[in-house]
Amino acid sequence: MAAPAFPDVMRIRYEGPKSRSSLAFKHYSPDEKVDGKTMRDHLRFGVAYWHTMRGTGGDPFGPGTAVRPWDDGSNSVANAQNRARVAFEFMEKLGAPFYCFHDRDVAPEGKSLKESNKNLDAIVKVLKEEQKRTGIKLLWGTANLFSNPRFVHGAGTSCNADVFAFAAAQVKKAMEVTHELGGAGYVFWGGREGYSTLLNTDMKRELDHLAKLLHMAVDYKRAIGFKGQFYIEPKPKEPTKHQYDSDAAACLNFLRQHDLLGHFKLNIETNHATLAGHTVQHDLETAVAAGALGSVDANVGDAMLGWDTDQFPTDIYLTTQIMLVVLKMGGFTTGGLNFDAKVRRESFEPVDLFYAHIGGMDAFARGLKIASAIRRDGRLAEFVRRRYASWDSGIGAEIEKGRMNFKKLEACMLKKGDAAPNASGRQEYLENLLNEFI
Ligand code: XUL
Ligand code: CO
């Protein structure tokens, strides 16, 4: 048994709002029930392996700053195996029930696909042992189809058919290991599936190819008996100028057009929605309306910066609004709240990883409790219900039932002379109402 990587950190416990300990939960009390379900089961927190275990703090202006004493800095399988054990020490001490990874986060890429697959198997063996030892589960797996230079023109949308084939092989393997580890889901994030200039791009052909890749994944899922949920994760920009999966609506349209909608749900990430010019609630609601909200990548951007800063969410207003949508849809089934977030470059010590996750978990615990209280109170839902009351009877109900047409509606209005007066939208009143609970 190796020496602990976080010797000074004990298991993070719930100490309540009065606690002054920085390494304790003030609000996340995993066994406490909210609306008949434990907070653990409501929130289904996941740790993102790529940020937490592989993030270095590097940026375009300077190298990484992160101090990670357990990491020997090499690309060896032994180092990756050790890192996997450290990941589980971290998650066990934190009390995170889930984690998520890309194939290339957990295992080094080899000189050939064969060697990469072998490396991955060697790490999956450790992940499996550690899952068994700790009870921590895999929320979702995915393949990194964007870092290696071969994916310079994309993966499923590459102009190079060989690259498409390589991507398919990589997804196949990543699906197999996700299945082997009992993953509850598998994510497809677009990576470099987009373009920088239309001058060199056959957009229709690229999109058709992407659909082909996803259909092959659906077929292979059936072939190996993988029962986890497939997700698409929308993002509008970064790394390419125009990402095909730019937002929830674009993803849903793509899935519908290519007859894939029944096989996929969406994994909505806060900072991706905001980069698309939406609030995260907008993209969550868009997904829910299509019966396709699967999971959430929990993070937040910076209002001052126009890129994917992947910060830990600490804003109670935000977490409340996310949890209002999640509760409205009846909670997560296969999905959860995966912290696709990283500590700042200036927060380079190992203990900062704990502070970051504790903050995110407490913020969501509060969001959950507040959202639940708002729902129990009922005034917000009642306001919205009443706002649409004209659709519950009379002309509105007839339209909804499909019993109306232009001629009948014209006759109605000719008789009535004008529409009934409108009522106030009461935005300020509703904002005050929300603040009563926050
Ligand atoms: C990139 C991003 C990815 C996906 C998984 O912005 O969010 O890490 O979550 O590939
Ligand atoms: Co993400």
Side-chain angles (χ1 to χ4, degrees), residues 117-430:
N117 287 349
K118 198 170 143 234
N119 291 351
L120 186 53
D121 286 335
I123 312 304
V124 166
K125 190 171 159 279
V126 176
L127 296 173
K128 209 169 174 179
E129 281 167 20
E130 290 293 288
Q131 283 187 201
K132 203 163 163 218
R133 182 182 68 76
T134 59
I136 294 167
K137 296 191 177 91
L138 180 61
L139 189 65
W140 49 260
T142 187
N144 178 330
L145 307 176
F146 43 91
S147 293
N148 190 291
R150 85 172 62 82
F151 298 119
V152 62
H153 299 304
T157 64
S158 176
C159 48
N160 179 343
D162 258 13
V163 171
F164 180 103
F166 195 101
Q170 212 181 306
V171 171
K172 173 180 177 288
K173 180 69 182 172
M175 278 173 63
E176 286 164 8
V177 304
T178 299
H179 182 37
E180 188 180 342
L181 292 170
Y186 185 93
V187 162
F188 292 84
W189 165 57
R192 292 181 196 275
E193 316 292 23
Y195 62 82
S196 289
T197 173
L198 278 174
L199 293 174
N200 64 14
T201 302
D202 185 338
M203 189 198 279
K204 163 117 177 47
R205 211 165 176 186
E206 292 199 358
L207 286 167
D208 286 346
H209 294 164
L210 184 58
K212 284 222 155 49
L213 184 80
L214 299 181
H215 271 293
M216 287 181 207
V218 169
D219 290 345
Y220 194 62
K221 183 180 186 218
R222 203 172 289 131
I224 61 175
F226 175 50
K227 297 276 186 300
Q229 175 66 48
F230 273 172
Y231 309 102
I232 300 255
E233 181 177 324
K235 183 175 182 181
K237 49 190 155 188
E238 263 201 272
T240 72
K241 177 173 107 167
H242 188 101
Q243 300 276 127
Y244 290 133
D245 298 335
S246 55
D247 65 1
C251 289
L252 290 168
N253 180 59
F254 172 84
L255 291 170
R256 200 172 276 123
Q257 183 179 347
H258 295 278
D259 204 18
L260 286 159
L261 198 52
H263 302 287
F264 287 81
K265 287 188 174 177
L266 301 185
N267 179 38
I268 301 295
E269 178 165 327
T270 314
N271 203 173
H272 295 179
T274 48
L275 286 174
H278 304 306
T279 60
V280 67
Q281 302 91 283
H282 171 89
D283 258 19
L284 293 170
E285 288 278 358
T286 303
V288 170
L293 177 59
S295 203
V296 171
D297 268 10
N299 65 10
V300 68
D302 186 309
M304 304 285 168
L305 303 170
W307 67 88
D308 198 15
T309 57
D310 283 339
Q311 289 167 235
F312 276 83
T314 54
D315 180 348
I316 314 299
Y317 213 86
L318 174 76
T319 58
T320 298
Q321 290 183 281
I322 292 175
M323 291 316 296
L324 274 172
V325 183
V326 172
L327 291 181
K328 188 169 81 177
M329 80 158 182
F332 292 118
T333 48
T334 52
L337 293 165
N338 167 48
F339 288 114
D340 194 349
K342 61 189 175 202
V343 289
R344 297 303 87 192
R345 188 169 191 262
E346 299 85 346
S347 307
F348 46 76
E349 291 180 12
V351 71
D352 291 310
L353 295 171
F354 281 97
Y355 293 140
H357 285 85
I358 290 169
M361 290 160 86
D362 264 350
F364 266 100
R366 288 180 78 180
L368 167 64
K369 286 191 213 171
I370 295 165
S372 154
I374 291 171
R375 285 167 58 81
R376 248 178 293 124
D377 170 80
R379 275 176 291 163
L380 186 60
E382 179 58 16
F383 181 90
V384 177
R385 201 192 60 70
R386 283 222 205 129
R387 186 159 180 253
Y388 293 88
S390 70
W391 293 89
D392 295 337
S393 60
I395 201 174
E398 293 299 297
I399 296 171
E400 282 195 352
K401 285 182 191 131
R403 292 195 200 130
M404 278 292 176
N405 57 35
F406 274 6
K407 260 177 109 172
K408 288 189 201 170
L409 291 173
E410 184 195 44
C412 253
M413 280 300 125
L414 284 173
K415 197 169 153 208
K416 220 172 163 182
D418 199 353
N422 281 304
S424 166
R426 299 254 188 275
Q427 181 172 332
E428 298 76 9
Y429 156 80
L430 294 168

Side-chain angles (χ1 to χ4, degrees), residues 28-59:
Y28 178 60
S29 173
D31 294 317
E32 186 184 323
K33 286 195 173 167
V34 176
D35 299 339
K37 194 159 116 183
T38 63
M39 295 181 83
R40 185 190 292 106
D41 290 344
H42 268 291
L43 299 164
R44 293 170 62 87
F45 288 125
V47 169
Y49 203 98
W50 52 101
H51 284 309
T52 298
M53 299 315 296
R54 304 310 308 274
T56 62
D59 70 15

